[in-house]
Amino acid sequence: AGECERALQAKAREILGRWEAALAGGRPFLCGDRPGLMDCRLVTKLYLAYQLVGSGLANLGSASFDEVAPLTYAYLDRWTRREAWVKAYGPGRGVSNGQLDVVTLRTTCNKFSKMCPELLTPLILPALAKARGGLVGDVVDAKAVGLESGGAGGSSSDDGKA
């Protein structure tokens, strides 16, 4: 890992450390026994971070998300099992099933591919292949993973539809 990557990993671990400290008191949610406004505003960002780490688009070094932040992972698991989460985001979009959320990753990858087209082949395509159940080392066709072209384009739609 280069200096920049190590700095990003350290920052991510620092932020997850703050989550761990906030959840260390044994409360199920940041705001107490029930979710509050702060929980509602932050959980989707945490879910995206989890998906990015799980896909390989971001990493925490040699450890997984649940190893670095077990209380935070349990918090996220509680959230994604809630009836309201399933109604809002649909079934199968949790963390305990071990599957990555292809819709979330595709939307994020589309944005990355437009901003940094040089990352498309070495980073984005393997992450999408992993999310779709392919092997990380496979050569992947951009169209097959939901991006229209292998260049800077990608899908122009950011509506989250896979």
Side-chain angles (χ1 to χ4, degrees), residues 65-131:
F65 189 99
D66 56 316
E67 291 170 331
V68 170
L71 297 174
T72 306
Y73 176 83
Y75 167 87
L76 192 53
D77 184 41
R78 277 192 300 281
W79 257 105
T80 60
R81 290 175 186 264
R82 292 177 57 81
E83 183 180 348
W85 179 276
V86 175
K87 283 183 180 178
Y89 295 100
R93 307 244 344 241
V95 297
S96 63
N97 62 10
Q99 296 178 352
L100 297 172
D101 184 344
V102 177
V103 175
T104 298
L105 289 173
R106 179 172 176 239
T107 301
T108 304
C109 287
N110 279 336
K111 291 179 186 204
F112 280 164
S113 70
K114 290 174 187 169
M115 294 185 305
C116 307
E118 67 277 8
L119 296 178
L120 193 64
T121 301
L123 191 60
I124 292 174
L125 293 179
L128 286 172
K130 184 176 180 182

Side-chain angles (χ1 to χ4, degrees), residues 49 62 113 156:
S62 61
S113 70
S156 62

Side-chain angles (χ1 to χ4, degrees), residues 17-63:
R18 286 190 236 150
W19 277 90
E20 291 292 289
L23 295 166
R27 299 177 306 190
F29 298 99
L30 295 174
C31 297
D33 292 334
R34 294 179 24 191
L37 181 60
M38 185 171 26
D39 292 288
C40 294
R41 294 193 72 180
L42 294 176
V43 72
T44 55
K45 292 161 183 60
L46 183 63
Y47 182 70
L48 176 59
Y50 171 79
Q51 293 296 320
L52 292 174
V53 169
S55 71
L57 287 170
N59 73 68
L60 299 168
S62 61

